[in-house]
Amino acid sequence: MIVDFDVPFDGHVLKGDQYVGGDNRVLYLHGAGASTRRGHHLLRNALQQRGVGSTSFDCIGHGDTGGTLAQSSVASRTRQAQAVAAARGLPEPMAVFGASMGAYNAVRMTQSHRVDALVLIVPGVYTPSAYEVPFGPDFSTVIRRERSWVDSDAWDILSRFEGRLLVIAAENDATIPLEIPERLVAAATRAQSSRLHVVQGAEHNRLWSLLEEDPASFDAAVDMVADTVNGGRQ
């Protein structure tokens, strides 16, 4: 079962859905650009079949929510995620998933919520100076500075994370250098568990669809995600 919902936020209405499962602690955050929650159906559907439900929504400037990207920022996206978690009554400890830019929002969510599982997929991280800058030319200028992500606060935030961390990277990611996923896992020194899974042949925007072509690899990756959420519980 998939249940649609609306959450008012700052003059907008965030449009989302919940893939209902036995365990409904997962909040799933999509990426930037043309990304929407619907682009993550493959993983969410496979998890639902394993009893793991998930809640996701389209950020301002994306998908069904609409609006313009200039009305949002990385910081606003975190606040949007917090609003959805509150409005939908997601139980804590939560499991938070983030893809691309959404991975940084997921890391940020560990500062405001009890989170015992983090799944970061082709993860991007950002310099603190970009956090509140509205999306547009000024934001692009900040993040396009050579290796602007090096001074991200994501490393420090993750150093305090005590749950389970899974980072899934694409071997041929032209957007996110492998150094970022590697550093995220290395930063999580207090994590109950931390794991990096690099999907061979995958690209930034073609990871689950590539895995789907090899059912055994797809199932193994989904099982890895489910195990991170469940913490070994079935």
Side-chain angles (χ1 to χ4, degrees), residues 74-159:
V74 183
S76 174
R77 286 173 52 112
T78 301
R79 293 191 283 268
Q80 292 167 51
Q82 292 167 342
V84 168
R88 300 301 296 167
L90 292 188
E92 295 188 25
M94 288 171 26
V96 186
F97 292 23
S100 196
M101 179 182 285
Y104 181 72
N105 297 118
V107 170
R108 281 282 193 153
M109 289 291 286
T110 67
Q111 296 181 294
S112 55
H113 293 71
R114 285 194 304 127
V115 176
D116 69 355
L118 268 180
V119 178
L120 310 179
I121 303 164
V122 292
V125 300
Y126 298 89
T127 174
S129 62
Y131 194 51
E132 296 279 359
V133 179
F135 293 133
D138 292 345
F139 176 77
S140 297
T141 297
V142 175
I143 67 167
R144 284 180 181 154
R145 202 175 67 240
E146 182 70 21
R147 292 173 65 82
S148 66
W149 48 267
V150 168
D151 69 346
S152 178
D153 50 0
W155 328 117
D156 183 56
I157 297 169
L158 268 183
S159 75

Side-chain angles (χ1 to χ4, degrees), residues 21 29 41 46 49 96 98 105 152 160 170 203 217:
L29 307 176
H41 170 75
Q49 292 174 6
V96 186
N105 297 118
S152 178
R160 296 190 290 276
E203 300 169 16
S217 296

Side-chain angles (χ1 to χ4, degrees), residues 1 19-26 41-54 97 166 208 211-212 214-234:
M1 182 169 64
Y19 285 41
V20 179
D23 181 346
N24 293 294
R25 301 181 305 118
V26 172
H41 170 75
L42 279 176
L43 176 56
R44 295 180 67 202
N45 182 61
L47 287 171
Q48 187 182 35
Q49 292 174 6
R50 288 163 171 78
V52 179
S54 61
F97 292 23
L166 172 63
W208 294 105
L211 280 170
E212 190 186 28
D214 177 8
S217 296
F218 180 83
D219 286 344
V222 175
D223 286 344
M224 203 181 299
V225 173
D227 286 347
T228 302
V229 174
N230 295 329
R233 304 188 304 271
Q234 296 302 319

